[in-house]
Amino acid sequence: MIVIGLTGGIGSGKSTVSDRFVDLGAVLIDADRIVRELQEPGASVHADMVAHFGASILNDDATLNRQAVADRVFSDKEALRELNNIVHPPVNREIRRRIREQAATDNLLVLDIPLLVEGILAGGPPKYIVSGILVVDTSPDVAVQRLVQFRGFSEEDARSRIAAQVPAEKRLELADFVIDNSVTLEELEPQIESAFAWARTLPATEPTPEPDEPS
């Protein structure tokens, strides 16, 4: 198997790239989707979040009110740290488990982690081993336009979210391959095909340790 890390800032269009990689035969491991699965009512992360932050973060049907969670932690570093301590360990375990399931295959795995670069820059021990890092880059103005048009953000909120992330220059410094997604879909497609061909030439990736082993 070959594992690549896919990352990019909010509004960069990573999902468009990852979906095309799947169309081309890759296996996608999407950290955001795993988070959502583990935050469904009845799942452990959901229960732990409610126990810590209270029922005010829930909708009437017991699903998470994600805007209420964001309002609670976005401007409170301690609350954000507490949320990360609840969410990240089980998500990391599930990601490692899904990677190990593919260890004996020759599949290309796309590991979509929005904060992959932030984790590397933090200097902690790597939780995942990847053979290369693919960065989807876009201009802040294009990202803001997408967030407003397709995700319902206000322009002020969109710019605030972008400003709170690691600078694009830091992501580009760590990139092994960059896709410029400030372009049309027609101009994006050949870049995706080139990135897929590049990924297929990378060396095989060692599977991550079992959760109870040192990582």
Side-chain angles (χ1 to χ4, degrees):
M1 90 183 158
I2 299 171
V3 184
I4 63 167
L6 171 65
T7 194
I10 187 171
S12 64
K14 287 190 291 72
S15 294
T16 299
V17 173
S18 63
D19 287 347
R20 281 295 294 127
F21 262 68
V22 171
D23 291 341
L24 293 168
V27 175
L28 176 63
I29 299 177
D30 186 328
D32 280 346
R33 292 180 189 175
I34 292 173
V35 169
R36 288 179 178 271
E37 290 173 12
L38 296 181
Q39 289 178 336
E40 289 293 322
S44 61
V45 171
H46 179 281
D48 290 343
M49 288 179 63
V50 174
H52 187 81
F53 293 107
S56 62
I57 63 170
L58 296 179
N59 296 310
D60 292 341
D61 61 358
T63 59
L64 283 181
N65 183 326
R66 299 186 185 280
Q67 186 59 53
V69 175
D71 292 344
R72 182 75 173 269
V73 306
F74 185 65
S75 59
D76 185 335
K77 291 184 178 180
E78 180 60 22
L80 179 59
R81 184 190 65 81
E82 293 166 352
L83 176 64
N84 289 339
N85 286 341
I86 293 171
V87 174
H88 286 178
V91 171
N92 290 336
R93 287 194 294 270
E94 179 61 16
I95 289 173
R96 291 197 297 268
R97 185 190 69 78
R98 295 189 188 192
I99 293 174
R100 288 194 304 275
E101 284 185 339
Q102 300 289 329
T105 74
D106 61 357
N107 289 334
L108 171 63
L109 276 62
V110 178
L111 185 56
D112 183 346
I113 301 184
L115 299 181
L116 177 65
V117 169
E118 285 84 341
I120 294 171
L121 293 174
K127 291 183 173 61
Y128 317 105
I129 299 172
V130 297
S131 295
I133 295 177
L134 172 61
V135 170
V136 181
D137 189 46
T138 193
S139 72
D141 287 341
V142 171
V144 168
Q145 180 183 358
R146 289 172 179 160
L147 292 172
V148 171
Q149 182 177 356
F150 299 115
R151 294 176 58 177
F153 283 61
S154 68
E155 181 174 345
E156 180 182 5
D157 190 20
R159 292 193 182 279
S160 178
R161 298 290 184 98
I162 291 170
Q165 294 186 322
V166 67
E169 292 77 11
K170 293 295 184 181
R171 283 193 292 269
L172 296 176
E173 287 175 6
L174 293 172
D176 297 304
F177 198 104
V178 178
I179 287 178
D180 175 14
N181 197 13
S182 298
V183 298
T184 66
L185 287 174
E186 291 75 15
E187 294 169 315
L188 179 64
E189 181 62 24
Q191 293 187 73
I192 293 175
E193 293 175 357
S194 294
F196 187 87
W198 158 77
R200 270 300 185 189
T201 69
L202 294 172
T205 311
E206 293 295 324
T208 53
E210 294 287 344
D212 58 349
E213 293 179 357
S215 60

